[in-house]
Every structure is written in structure tokens, then in C-alpha cells.
Amino acid sequence: MKTRFLFTCAAALWLAGCEFLPEQGRTEANEEEMVAVATDCPGAVPTFEEDACLLPEWIALGLASQRGDGDWRSAKLTEVEQALIDSEDARHLARAITLSWGSERQWSQAAELFETHLRAAPETLQPLLRYWRNELEGRRAMAGQLSRSQSALAAQREENEQLAEKLEALTAIEQNINLRQQSP
């Protein structure tokens, strides 16, 4: 009888799933807090101020930069330059994030800004900035590889054209020789 009761309790817990475990409730509370913090943040140019808005503001800038077009990027760069931020490093990193989704020329500028100013960022922000820098470097490497591949392909096409011309010339010479041999 006792084992049957224990078995029934175990089956009920198994069927109920994990929703009654305390860890689940804590995760939902953390998500709600993050949403509340994100809506309370001003959303302007992010700073290095260590508060609840530090990560949400930088993440928002990164996502907006990724989604924005050239006009948005130009407006944001102007906003970054005019923003009243105490830290020049924060201004340069905000500029780097904005440029990192622009043209390939802007990628180079962004990489230089990341390299120069990343160490000045708060410890809590550095992993995110490193991730973005590494992602940018990956795109730059792929763009370089694509450029080299395109150059190699163009060189191969040119070589093929030259070989085709030589083959035509050799074919003409061979036909000329064959015609001479057939003539008495």
C-alpha cells in the first residue's frame, strides 16, 4: 500500500512537469524584471554608467544598428557625436557599433574603434563588446576571402581566354600544315 502511494506521488510529479519547481518561478521573475528595466531605460546613446540600463541600452543599440539602413546610421552617428556623454570611450564604442553594420570601409573604422576603446568599457559590458568585435572581424575575414576568391576567379578566366586564343592559333597552324601536306 505504501509503495503504491509513493508510486502515485512520483507519477503525479512526473506528469506535472517542472512548473512547480522553484527555479522556474525565479526565471520568470528575472524575465519580467528585464522587460521592466528595458522599458524604463531612456534608449538614447548608451553610456558606461553602471545601472540597470547598462546592458539593455547597449543591446538595443546593437540590434538597431543591425536593422538600420544607411540613413538611420548617418542620423545615429550624428546623434552619437552630439550626445552629452562624459566618457569619450563610450562615444567611440557606440560609434563602432553603429559603423559595424555599415559598408566594408566602415567595418575597418569600427574595428579600429573597438580595438582602441574596448578595454575602457565596464567589466559587465566587455563580453558583449568582444562578441560584437569578433563577429565584425569574422565578417571582415569573409569579405577578404570573397575578394581574394573573386580576384583568383578573374585571373583564371583571363588565363582561360589566353589559353583559348593559343589553342585557336595552334589549331590554325595545324590546319595550315595539313593543307600543305595534302597539296602536291
Side-chain angles (χ1 to χ4, degrees):
M1 184 79 158
K2 193 175 195 181
T3 57
R4 189 172 172 187
F5 175 74
L6 289 174
F7 179 78
T8 305
C9 288
L13 284 173
W14 179 72
L15 289 173
C18 298
E19 65 186 46
F20 294 111
L21 296 175
E23 190 67 31
Q24 181 69 23
R26 197 171 337 134
T27 303
E28 288 175 2
N30 287 344
E31 289 174 8
E32 290 173 6
E33 288 173 14
M34 288 297 286
V35 170
V37 166
T39 57
D40 291 341
C41 297
V45 177
T47 64
F48 285 163
E49 187 176 327
E50 291 276 352
D51 61 4
C53 291
L54 180 69
L55 283 175
E57 283 182 344
W58 284 94
I59 291 171
L61 176 63
L63 292 174
S65 296
Q66 190 174 3
R67 294 178 188 135
D69 59 3
D71 293 336
W72 178 90
R73 197 163 283 100
S74 296
K76 193 62 169 183
L77 289 171
T78 302
E79 181 183 343
V80 166
E81 291 304 315
Q82 295 173 353
L84 300 173
I85 300 176
D86 292 339
S87 172
E88 281 295 312
D89 292 315
R91 183 186 317 275
H92 288 297
L93 286 170
R95 183 174 173 75
I97 291 167
T98 304
L99 291 171
S100 67
W101 291 99
S103 66
E104 287 185 39
R105 188 183 78 244
Q106 290 175 328
W107 292 357
S108 297
Q109 293 172 347
E112 290 172 15
L113 290 169
F114 272 125
E115 191 64 35
T116 306
H117 301 282
L118 186 107
R119 288 178 201 87
E123 284 286 322
T124 55
L125 188 58
Q126 284 188 12
L128 178 65
L129 294 173
R130 272 191 227 105
Y131 172 79
W132 284 336
R133 181 199 60 200
N134 292 343
E135 196 277 331
L136 172 65
E137 291 301 330
R139 280 188 282 132
R140 288 180 69 204
M142 286 192 305
Q145 186 178 14
L146 177 63
S147 177
R148 287 187 298 276
S149 296
Q150 288 173 337
S151 296
L153 181 61
Q156 288 293 324
R157 285 183 179 154
E158 186 176 324
E159 184 180 349
N160 283 347
E161 287 175 14
Q162 290 173 355
L163 289 174
E165 288 174 8
K166 288 179 182 178
L167 182 61
E168 285 179 31
L170 288 173
T171 303
I173 292 171
E174 183 182 13
Q175 287 175 350
N176 195 5
I177 291 173
N178 287 340
L179 287 174
R180 284 185 189 168
Q181 289 176 353
Q182 291 176 356
S183 299

